[in-house]
């Protein structure tokens, strides 16, 4: 049994949620949800790891858990350390690719100097055999998704996010990190690269190209009807399928850098006024446009759903059904354009920060728009899990994703991913918001070949 220690690696998605839900230090901080953790008597490897790390076992009082796909525990140890511990599922063959990718990031990030724009919560140790990792909890921190919903993910934070992502994309280059200015982040002790897993060079699993032809029958029971309908929106649109194949081909010939490959708002933490980036389970060498496009796509998805959500109390049964069903097509287009006008300055600030720390290749912005288009479909599929049908707002998000995938070059300037010195056009509905919402999808799965199921678990 081996234990890996470092001060530079970052936690996974559950850690981001855990840190967000930690008790806030100010009286006016929002109340956040906690859960009852799995009993530690059924997971003795958790306290075993903490004791080997010299932290002491979890004190039973105040032990909590947070949302996430993996079992996790957050609390204070008997030696007074605030810690988050999580487990990661093994692959069917017994391997631990997610742990290995996180440890590969850990070793790579050891090259970050003090003052790097890329900050990650401190990794305390990992027991690879048991697939358990421990991290320092950040009390009072808030996840980026919460910050965005509250309207506090402002242009300054977006610029910092751009600088952090650009720094990630320069890891392993001459100089070790960003060429931009420093801003006081704490550097950590170097991890031992010789003992760390190699950086994954395999193709990122999303979008799952085999699923574009047919939805695996074995996956149907784990998907809601709305998710199946969302997949049909993709599969039945031959132009979107062709555009995704073109995007994959462009990706294969693009420069590759260390990349996050699962970037979402909830992978960011804001703690004591500083921005942290978390969750390295999909870390690998990949097209940096994936990360840029995901951040852009998050704002487009945010714009779509925040603008169309109903306000106030329901006044009728129609209003209480689901957000968006009471909106006309014209209202969807109008509100969509308004949402884009509100959020595009944040995208521009992210791009400004990114280009301050890294010079992108000439086609990165265009590829990023394509990945932003896929991101809208990906988020649509993920959020459809709790619903039986797709509402008009979901279809509007798919329509925007379709527009970006079919004409990424046409949206580069509109999304402010061009040279900051070049005047940008006004945002209009025709620029990004589609004039037609995708038609209703048939809510039934295609009959696939058994080999069509990709590895992993796409949304």
């Amino acid at each position: 049994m081996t234990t890996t220690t470092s001060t530079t690696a970052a936690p996974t998605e559950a850690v981001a949620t855990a840190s967000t839900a930690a008790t806030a230090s100010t009286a006016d901080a929002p109340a956040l949800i906690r859960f009852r953790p799995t009993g530690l008597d059924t997971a003795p490897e958790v306290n075993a790891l903490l004791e080997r790390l010299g932290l002491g076992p979890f004190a039973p009082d105040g032990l909590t858990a947070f949302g996430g796909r993996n079992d996790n525990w957050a609390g204070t140890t008997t030696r007074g350390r605030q810690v988050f511990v999580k487990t990661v599922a093994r692959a069917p063959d017994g391997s631990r690719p997610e742990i290995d990718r996180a440890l590969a990031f850990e070793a790579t990030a050891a090259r970050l100097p003090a003052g790097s724009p890329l900050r990650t919560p401190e990794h305390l140790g990992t027991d690879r055999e048991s697939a358990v990792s421990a991290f320092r909890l950040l009390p009072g921190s808030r996840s980026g998704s919460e910050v965005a919903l509250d309207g506090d993910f402002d242009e300054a934070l977006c610029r910092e996010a751009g600088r952090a992502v650009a720094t990630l994309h320069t890891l392993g280059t001459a100089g070790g990190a960003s060429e931009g200015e420093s801003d006081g982040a704490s550097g950590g002790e170097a991890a031992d690269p010789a003992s760390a897993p190699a950086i994954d060079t395999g193709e990122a699993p999303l979008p799952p190209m085999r699923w574009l032809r047919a939805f695996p029958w074995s996956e149907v029971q784990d998907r809601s009807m709305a998710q199946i309908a969302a997949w049909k929106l993709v599969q039945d649109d031959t132009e979107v399928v062709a555009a995704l194949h073109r995007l994959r081909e462009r990706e294969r010939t693009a420069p590759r850098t260390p990349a996050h490959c699962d970037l979402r708002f909830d992978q960011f933490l804001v703690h004591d006024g500083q921005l942290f980036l978390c969750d390295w389970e999909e870390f690998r060498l990949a097209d940096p446009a994936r990360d840029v496009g995901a951040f852009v796509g998050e704002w487009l998805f945010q714009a779509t759903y925040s603008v169309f959500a109903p306000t106030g109390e329901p006044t009728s049964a129609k209003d209480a059904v689901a957000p968006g069903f009471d909106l006309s097509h014209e209202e969807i287009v109008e509100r969509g354009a308004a949402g884009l006008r509100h959020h595009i300055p944040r995208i521009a600030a992210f791009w400004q920060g990114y280009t301050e720390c890294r010079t992108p290749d000439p086609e990165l912005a265009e590829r990023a728009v394509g990945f932003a288009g896929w991101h809208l479909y990906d988020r649509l599929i993920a959020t459809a899990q709790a619903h039986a049908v797709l509402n008009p707002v979901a279809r509007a998000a798919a329509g925007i994703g379709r527009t970006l995938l079919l004409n990424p070059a046409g949206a580069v300037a509109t999304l402010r991913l061009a040279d900051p010195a070049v005047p940008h056009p006004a945002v209009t509905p025709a620029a990004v918001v589609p004039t037609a919402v995708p038609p209703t999808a048939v809510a039934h799965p295609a009959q696939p070949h058994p080999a069509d199921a990709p590895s992993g678990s796409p949304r």
Side-chain angles (χ1 to χ4, degrees), residues 78-281:
T78 56
R79 296 190 179 181
R81 294 292 297 273
Q82 291 185 305
V83 178
F84 180 89
V85 178
K86 67 165 292 182
T87 62
V88 173
R90 295 182 178 87
D93 63 0
S95 63
R96 304 158 184 83
E98 293 181 344
I99 286 279
D100 288 346
R101 284 192 286 264
L103 292 177
F105 167 79
E106 185 178 330
T108 306
R111 304 168 185 172
L112 288 170
S116 169
L118 176 58
R119 306 178 187 89
T120 72
E122 181 183 6
H123 171 261
L124 302 173
T126 291
D127 180 348
R128 184 177 179 277
E129 182 177 339
S130 298
V132 177
S133 294
F135 306 92
R136 182 172 71 90
L137 197 63
L138 301 179
S141 61
R142 302 166 66 200
S143 76
S145 57
E146 178 195 333
V147 175
L149 286 172
D150 289 345
D152 296 332
F153 209 133
D154 58 17
E155 292 176 29
L157 276 180
C158 287
R159 177 175 171 267
E160 289 306 301
R163 298 177 75 241
V165 172
T167 301
L168 168 64
H169 294 168
T170 64
L171 286 178
T173 61
S178 170
E179 299 174 358
E181 58 186 290
S182 298
D183 56 6
S186 298
E189 298 176 5
D192 181 8
S195 63
I199 298 179
D200 192 343
T201 59
E203 189 173 70
L206 298 176
M209 305 310 289
R210 292 178 178 176
W211 286 34
L212 300 182
R213 181 161 61 92
F215 192 77
W217 185 255
S218 60
E219 298 288 335
V220 171
Q221 61 183 355
D222 296 326
R223 301 294 184 269
S224 70
M225 292 302 293
Q227 281 186 306
I228 295 172
W231 271 108
K232 289 291 289 179
L233 281 179
V234 179
Q235 294 169 338
D236 290 346
D237 193 329
T238 57
E239 290 183 304
V240 165
V241 171
L244 287 169
H245 280 283
R246 289 195 299 271
L247 182 61
R248 277 290 202 183
E249 288 302 316
R250 296 186 70 174
E251 177 185 24
R252 292 187 181 104
T253 60
R256 295 202 300 173
T257 70
H260 190 282
C261 290
D262 192 26
L263 201 69
R264 301 188 307 274
F265 284 156
D266 59 6
Q267 315 294 31
F268 289 97
L269 293 174
V270 179
H271 176 68
D272 287 344
Q274 293 187 319
L275 193 69
F276 292 74
L277 182 56
C278 309
D279 191 350
W280 303 98
E281 293 172 340

Side-chain angles (χ1 to χ4, degrees), residues 77 343 374 398:
T77 70
H343 289 306
W374 160 252

Side-chain angles (χ1 to χ4, degrees), residues 344 365 369 408-419 422-427:
I344 280 179
V369 172
V412 167
T414 298
L415 295 176
R416 304 280 294 278
L417 298 181
D419 186 338
V422 177
H424 59 86
V427 180

Side-chain angles (χ1 to χ4, degrees), residues 307-335:
V307 171
F308 301 150
T311 58
E313 295 297 322
T315 57
S316 68
K318 177 193 70 172
D319 294 330
V321 172
F325 278 106
D326 58 338
L327 298 177
S328 68
H329 171 67
E330 291 73 18
E331 288 175 313
I332 288 176
V333 172
E334 180 181 354
R335 295 188 186 192

